Amino acid sequence: MDKNLEDYSHKRFNILTGEWVLVSPHRSKRPWQGQNEAVNNEKRPSYDESCYLCATNTRISGDVNPDYKGTYVFTNDFAALQSDSPSFEVNDGLLQAQSETGICKVICFSPDHSKSLADMDVPGITEVVTTWQREYKEIGSKEAINYVQIFENKGAVMGCSNPHPHGQIWSQSSLPNEVFKKDNTQKAYFADKKSSLLGDYLSQELNGDRDRIIYENDAFVVLIPFWAVWPFEAMIAPKRHLNSILDMTEEEATLYAEAISVLTKAYDALFNTSFPYSSGIHQAPTDGQDNSHWHWHMSFYPPLLRSATVKKFMVGYEMFGTPQRDITAEGAAQRLRDLL
Ligand SMILES: [Zn+2]
C-alpha cells in the first residue's frame, strides 16, 4: 500500500455509493476531552417480564408473544410505513411528494433476553439467516414491495430502546437513497465490464496486501472497506457473485452465520463491551427487473472510536462537507484481526 495513506490527509472513493470520505491519519493521536458514553456491562436476565419482545409477554398492541424457541417475526406495532395508505402525488411547483407504502416487521433473534448475535452459537445465527431469507422472499414477492431492507440497531447509543436481541425489516415501494446509489454504480460497472463491481473489489483485496481483511472462510470475506467511514466499519460479502441472500446454498448460509459470529465476537472483545452498531444488508431490489448487477453484502456501522465510552460524532464538517475518519481502515482491520 502507498505509504502516504498512513501519514497524510487524503480522501478515499467509495465505489459503491460514488461518494468520498476524508481520512486524517495524523490526527488519531490527539487527546480526547469530549463526551464519554456510559457503559452498561451488567448481565441481563434470560427473561424480563417488562420486555415486549420476550416470549409469552403482552405487547402494547395487546398481542401476546408466543412461547417461541428460535426466531420470532411480527409486524411492527408502530410501523413507519403503512401498507394501506392511498396512492397520491404532490407536484406543486418545487414542492414534490409521493405516497410511499410498505411493511415493517420485527425479528426476535432468540427468546433469550440476555444474548446478542455475538453470544449466540452458529446454528442459532444460521436460523436468523434463514429467517431473513424467508422474509425477503415472502415480503419481496408482494406486488407493491420493490425493496426489502433488513437491518439491526444494537445498543442504546444507536437509539435502540430494547436490549432484547432483535432486528427489523422495512420494505417499501421505492428504492431507499443508499440502495439507489449502489444500484446505479453496480449497474454501470456491470454493463461496462460484464462483471461484479464488488466481486472485482474483493478479488483485488484478496490478492493484494490483505491489510484490510479481518477474516475469510470458503464463501465469505469480512473486511474493513478501503472507503469505510465509521472507525470500525466492516463488511461481510460473499466471494461468489450472488444477487441476494436467496442465492446462497445451505452450506453458504452456515458460513455466512460463522462470519457474523466471528465479527461480532471480535467487536465485543475490542473494547470489552457489548459493541453497539447498526448493521444492514444491501441486496437486489424485488422490483421484478433484471438485477444481475447486484452483489449483496452486509455492512456494520459501529459508532465507538477508542474505548467503550468514546463515540465518534458525525458533526460540523461531516454534516456540512464530507464524512471524515482519523484511524485508517488498515489500522482498524489490524486491531480486529489481532482479536481473532
Ligand atoms: Zn426480552
Side-chain angles (χ1 to χ4, degrees), residues 45 47-54 57-59 113 162-164:
Y47 169 77
D48 178 346
E49 62 180 15
S50 67
C51 169
Y52 64 89
L53 299 176
C54 276
N57 288 359
T58 305
R59 301 201 308 274
H113 185 83
N162 188 326
H164 193 107

Side-chain angles (χ1 to χ4, degrees), residues 12-310:
R12 297 189 186 193
F13 186 62
N14 183 333
I15 54 168
L16 290 171
T17 61
E19 295 168 338
W20 295 86
V21 52
L22 179 65
V23 185
S24 317
H26 57 290
R27 289 213 323 169
S28 56
K29 287 186 182 68
R30 80 200 156 112
W32 178 259
Q33 293 183 316
Q35 179 177 332
N36 287 295
E37 301 290 333
V39 202
N40 186 356
N41 275 345
E42 196 182 305
K43 180 86 178 123
R44 296 192 302 273
S46 289
Y47 169 77
D48 178 346
E49 62 180 15
S50 67
C51 169
Y52 64 89
L53 299 176
C54 276
T56 71
N57 288 359
T58 305
R59 301 201 308 274
I60 197 127
S61 60
D63 293 344
V64 179
N65 296 332
D67 190 12
Y68 66 96
K69 300 299 176 198
T71 59
Y72 168 56
V73 183
F74 62 92
T75 300
N76 197 320
D77 298 324
F78 300 98
L81 289 149
Q82 302 155 290
S83 57
D84 55 356
S85 56
S87 175
F88 61 91
E89 234 180 89
V90 174
N91 273 310
D92 178 10
L94 295 176
L95 312 184
Q96 294 183 33
Q98 287 174 5
S99 57
E100 182 75 272
T101 57
I103 299 167
C104 299
K105 290 189 171 185
V106 175
I107 302 179
C108 297
F109 296 157
S110 158
D112 191 333
H113 185 83
S114 71
K115 291 199 164 143
S116 69
L117 286 175
D119 311 311
M120 290 168 62
D121 58 17
V122 171
I125 301 173
T126 304
E127 191 179 334
V128 174
V129 170
T130 50
T131 305
W132 286 336
Q133 289 175 312
R134 193 181 66 229
E135 292 296 327
Y136 173 80
K137 186 175 184 181
E138 187 197 310
I139 303 172
S141 69
K142 294 182 192 303
E143 183 67 33
I145 301 298
N146 293 316
Y147 194 75
V148 180
Q149 182 59 56
I150 294 168
F151 66 96
E152 177 189 5
N153 277 335
K154 181 182 170 221
V157 70
M158 294 310 288
C160 181
S161 51
N162 188 326
H164 193 107
H166 73 286
Q168 299 187 57
I169 297 178
W170 289 18
S171 62
Q172 63 194 87
S173 47
S174 67
L175 299 192
N177 294 345
E178 292 303 303
V179 178
F180 182 77
K181 288 182 249 177
K182 292 184 175 184
D183 189 56
N184 285 334
T185 53
Q186 291 181 101
K187 192 182 276 173
Y189 188 92
F190 194 72
D192 182 32
K193 310 260 200 245
K194 309 282 176 275
S195 66
S196 156
L197 172 62
L198 188 58
D200 287 357
Y201 167 71
L202 293 178
S203 297
Q204 188 173 341
E205 290 286 17
L206 287 164
N207 297 317
D209 297 339
R210 302 175 67 94
D211 46 6
R212 283 170 295 277
I213 294 174
I214 299 166
Y215 168 82
E216 69 167 313
N217 57 35
D218 285 347
F220 286 85
V221 186
V222 183
L223 81 171
I224 308 272
F226 182 69
W227 54 83
V229 166
W230 294 94
F232 292 94
E233 175 177 337
M235 179 190 282
I236 300 177
K239 292 177 177 175
R240 287 204 300 137
H241 178 190
L242 306 178
N243 305 140
S244 80
I245 55 174
L246 290 183
D247 300 335
M248 282 188 286
T249 63
E250 245 175 75
E251 194 192 347
E252 283 171 330
T254 305
L255 289 168
Y256 173 36
E258 187 180 282
I260 292 173
S261 176
V262 168
L263 177 62
T264 53
K265 276 183 163 57
Y267 272 161
D268 279 9
L270 184 64
F271 298 136
N272 194 27
T273 194
S274 184
F275 204 71
Y277 58 74
S278 273
S279 67
I281 298 170
H282 276 150
Q283 56 185 326
T286 55
D287 53 6
Q289 305 294 311
D290 177 7
N291 286 306
S292 48
H293 51 287
W294 265 91
H295 191 130
W296 79 267
H297 52 282
M298 183 183 202
S299 298
F300 288 75
Y301 303 147
L304 295 184
L305 178 59
R306 65 185 72 196
S307 72
T309 60
V310 176

